[in-house]
DNA sequence: TATTGTTATACTCTATAACTATA
DNA sequence: TATAGTTATAGAGTATAACAATA
């Protein structure tokens, strides 16, 4: 199959790489949670006191899209929320022990996935790849 | 914001890079077509005589998902289809002049986007990045 | 006036399963 | 029996716009 003028373009190869990586992730998670949603949970854990809006922003979601997700997390007992003391409009998101547990339970899987990549690339190229991917987010 | 143990992982950075790149693409295309759908059109152009199934496969779509898309392409006059001579079950997809025109009309936009990336990375790192992205698709 | 979270809504993309016609 | 294309369907994820409460 010939991708024509798209061949060897970052735009195409990035999409294919991401598609395959996400597919692998989904298989291992068995539909339990999307990569982006797992990231939300990790953001909540590692940034105590964050509001919904800032979580949404760094997760690349609209704040309205976060609402049903946080509801689901509450239902599964992964997070709780409370009104911010300094601003009554805001909610503070809080990870629960069950939420930490969930993160921990899947952490090994993700780290193995990542380790396979690192092994395939070697430590130097792996670091270079991460650097490139971050640079790609900067502006170009 | 702290991404915790996900920090500097290919899995996360790849998703963020892809998300931003696609957002930029969508802006330039102004919702006219998704990157993946444009790719389908380019595949049809550059692989005359291909069946729907093989197009779907290389576009990373289920063959059922391709049906409404091809219908839309036919409606816009970008492609035609005919029964394969050797296998009456298969359809052959054919690009039309209007389809080629559409590809051509957007080609400059895509190439500019790609050029910006190349300029930001420099030719050597750019090639390295493409190589890495392809390697990522191989198996890890 | 602007912002936070929420709701209602609608849209888009996608896959699954079942069908048909061919092989 | 298996495969190509199709259909109907359902599901997920997302954003937009409007709203109440608060700043």
């Amino acid at each position: 199959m010939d991708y024509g003028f798209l061949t060897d373009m970052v735009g195409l190869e990035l999409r294919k790489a991401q598609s395959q990586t996400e597919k692998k992730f989904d298989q291992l998670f068995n539909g339990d949670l999307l990569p982006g949603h797992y990231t939300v949970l990790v953001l909540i854990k590692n940034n105590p006191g964050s509001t919904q809006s800032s979580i949404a922003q760094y997760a690349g979601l609209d704040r309205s899209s976060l609402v049903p997700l946080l509801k689901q997390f509450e239902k599964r007992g992964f997070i709780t929320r409370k009104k911010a003391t300094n601003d009554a409009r805001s909610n503070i998101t809080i990870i629960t022990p069950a939420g930490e547990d969930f993160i921990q339970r899947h952490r090994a899987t993700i780290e193995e996935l990542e380790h396979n990549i690192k092994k395939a690339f070697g430590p130097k190229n792996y670091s270079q790849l991460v650097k490139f991917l971050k640079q790609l987010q900067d502006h170009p």
Side-chain angles (χ1 to χ4, degrees), chain A:
Chain A
M1 270 289 181
D2 180 2
Y3 286 92
F5 85 97
L6 298 174
T7 306
D8 290 345
M9 276 192 169
V10 167
L12 174 66
E13 302 304 338
L14 182 63
R15 196 163 53 78
K16 291 202 285 181
Q18 157 62 8
S19 169
Q20 213 217 287
T21 304
E22 180 143 337
K23 212 160 277 177
K24 205 154 276 176
F25 183 101
D26 288 342
Q27 281 174 352
L28 289 173
F29 265 63
N30 201 29
D32 199 14
L33 213 57
L34 289 179
H37 292 177
Y38 185 84
T39 303
V40 166
L41 209 51
V42 173
L43 281 174
I44 291 173
K45 169 184 155 65
N46 289 282
N47 302 275
S50 294
T51 62
Q52 293 185 193
S53 288
S54 62
I55 296 287
Q57 183 190 338
Y58 283 88
L61 294 172
D62 188 87
R63 64 189 201 276
S64 71
S65 303
L66 201 63
V67 175
L69 181 58
L70 295 188
K71 257 181 193 161
Q72 186 203 327
F73 283 162
E74 276 183 327
K75 202 169 175 180
R76 298 179 74 174
F78 293 167
I79 68 158
T80 56
R81 287 184 278 181
K82 62 175 184 193
K83 280 256 162 273
T85 54
N86 54 325
D87 187 336
R89 294 172 303 180
S90 299
N91 285 343
I92 302 305
T93 52
I94 303 141
I95 196 86
T96 63
E100 302 229 27
D101 210 65
F102 181 86
I103 292 174
Q104 195 56 31
R105 220 159 51 238
H106 289 84
R107 179 168 176 165
T109 302
I110 292 172
E111 278 174 338
E112 191 193 331
L113 213 63
E114 195 70 18
H115 178 73
N116 289 342
I117 297 175
K118 195 172 197 163
K119 206 173 62 190
F121 277 85
K124 206 177 148 190
N125 282 346
Y126 173 83
S127 301
Q128 189 74 349
L129 172 57
V130 171
K131 210 189 88 192
F132 284 165
L133 292 174
K134 288 176 140 180
Q135 191 180 340
L136 222 34
Q137 298 166 46
D138 282 345
H139 72 282

